[in-house]
Amino acid sequence: MIDIHCHVLPGVDDGPEDEATSIAMCRLAAENGTTDVVATPHANANYEYSPERNEEMRRQLQAAVGPSPRIHLGCDFHLSYDNIEAALADPAQFTINGGRYLLVEFSDLIISQGTSEVFARMQEAGVTPIITHPERNPLLRDHRSRLAAWVHRGCLIQITADSLLGRFGRHAQSAAIALVDANLAHIVASDGHDLKERPPVLAGSFEFVVDRWGEDLAQDLFVDRPRAVVDGKPLQPPAPKRRHSKKTWWAFWR
Ligand SMILES: [Fe+2]
C-alpha cells in the first residue's frame, strides 16, 4: 500500500516531535504493509514551510529508516491567499514529488466563494488538487454537491483510513462510506501524526474495504491510484455514480 498523506517529519508541524518517533512511525507503517509514505507537513499559517528543509529531513529520515518504506515528499496545503499565489508561481514547491498532485486541506470554518476558480487556475498550471478528508469537515460533508462538481472538473478526493473504521466519529464514517459508494473517494490515506492516536496504519481500513466493496476497489484506493500520484502519472477514475432518475448525477447530493 502507498500512503500519500502522513505527518512523519520530526518537529516541523503537529506530527512527531523527534526523529526516533518518526523512525518508529515508518517502521510501523512498513510492518502493516505500507511500501511508500509521502511526508506531508502542513503548509499553513501555523508552521514555517520550507521545501528545502523538508527535503533534507526526508533524506535523513530515509537514511535512518533504511529502504522500506520509501519516503516521498509533499505537503498538506492550506488554501490561503499567499499559499495559492506561491503554488501557482512554482507548483513543485508544494506538489507530491514535485509532480502534478497537490493535497488540499480546507478550513473547518469557511469555504471561500472563489474556491472553484482557484482549482481551475491550479489545473491550468498543471496541478491536480486532491481534496483531503472531506468526510471529517462538516462544511464539505454537508455540501457534497460541491464536492461532486469539483470531481466532475478533475479534482480528486482522499479520505482518511480511520474515518472508515469510525475513529473520527459516526458522521465522518457514514460520510466516508457514502463517498466510496458514490465513486467520490479516490484514495485512502492515513493522515498519520503519531504512533498511538493517529498512527500511519492502513491495514485495518484496507480489510474493511475488501469486506464491504471487494478486492478490486481496495487495490484502486490503497495501491494503484496512490502509486500513480506518487509517480505523477495521470489518473482516470470512474465517474461518480448516477442516481436512477433523470436528474443529473450531482443532483443526488442536493
Ligand atoms: Fe494532514
Side-chain angles (χ1 to χ4, degrees):
M1 293 176 285
I2 291 149
D3 187 356
I4 66 162
H5 186 166
C6 188
H7 300 262
V8 73
L9 295 183
V12 296
D13 61 5
D14 56 345
E17 288 179 4
D18 52 61
E19 196 187 29
T21 309
S22 296
I23 294 168
M25 286 173 69
C26 289
R27 299 228 158 103
L28 181 65
E31 283 161 13
N32 283 277
T34 297
T35 59
D36 294 70
V37 171
V38 184
T40 55
H42 285 290
N44 66 23
N46 296 333
Y47 306 101
E48 187 198 331
Y49 182 72
S50 166
E52 296 79 18
R53 177 207 57 197
N54 292 342
E55 171 54 22
E56 177 57 22
M57 294 180 93
R58 182 208 67 77
R59 198 190 58 71
Q60 284 179 15
L61 183 59
Q62 184 78 78
V65 165
S68 179
R70 286 179 290 268
I71 305 166
H72 308 266
L73 188 63
C75 79
D76 200 352
F77 184 87
H78 187 77
L79 279 176
S80 66
Y81 177 83
D82 287 349
N83 259 3
I84 291 162
E85 294 307 313
L88 289 170
D90 189 0
Q93 301 288 304
F94 299 91
T95 54
I96 292 175
N97 284 339
R100 70 177 72 193
Y101 295 101
L102 177 70
L103 292 186
V104 173
E105 180 181 50
F106 278 82
S107 158
D108 282 347
L109 304 175
I110 188 165
I111 297 176
S112 159
Q113 292 290 329
T115 303
S116 295
E117 193 193 324
V118 167
F119 285 163
R121 288 174 68 202
M122 284 180 173
Q123 286 170 307
E124 278 167 27
V127 173
T128 299
I130 301 177
I131 299 162
T132 62
H133 47 69
E135 80 283 0
R136 289 163 40 198
N137 182 318
L139 295 179
L140 289 173
R141 69 174 177 236
D142 292 343
H143 294 90
R144 282 180 291 193
S145 60
R146 230 178 329 200
L147 280 181
W150 289 329
V151 169
H152 185 60
R153 292 181 204 136
C155 295
L156 298 172
I157 291 178
Q158 172 252 303
I159 59 172
T160 302
D162 279 353
S163 295
L164 287 168
L165 303 179
R167 294 186 185 144
F168 287 92
R170 195 163 44 86
H171 293 303
Q173 183 180 33
S174 57
I177 289 169
L179 289 169
V180 176
D181 276 337
N183 283 347
L184 279 170
H186 306 105
I187 291 168
V188 179
S190 74
D191 199 2
H193 278 69
D194 55 39
L195 286 166
K196 288 206 169 122
E197 299 301 318
R198 299 175 68 182
V201 172
L202 298 173
S205 56
F206 182 90
E207 287 307 315
F208 180 91
V209 170
V210 169
D211 288 348
R212 191 169 180 118
W213 292 286
E215 284 185 18
D216 287 353
L217 185 61
Q219 178 78 15
D220 286 341
L221 292 169
F222 292 84
V223 183
D224 293 346
R225 291 181 194 145
R227 178 174 287 136
V229 166
V230 163
D231 291 344
K233 297 207 169 132
L235 263 174
Q236 208 85 59
K241 285 182 184 159
R242 291 169 186 272
R243 217 160 69 119
H244 302 296
S245 81
K246 289 179 181 165
K247 289 180 179 175
T248 52
W249 56 266
W250 55 83
F252 175 70
W253 301 110
R254 290 181 193 281

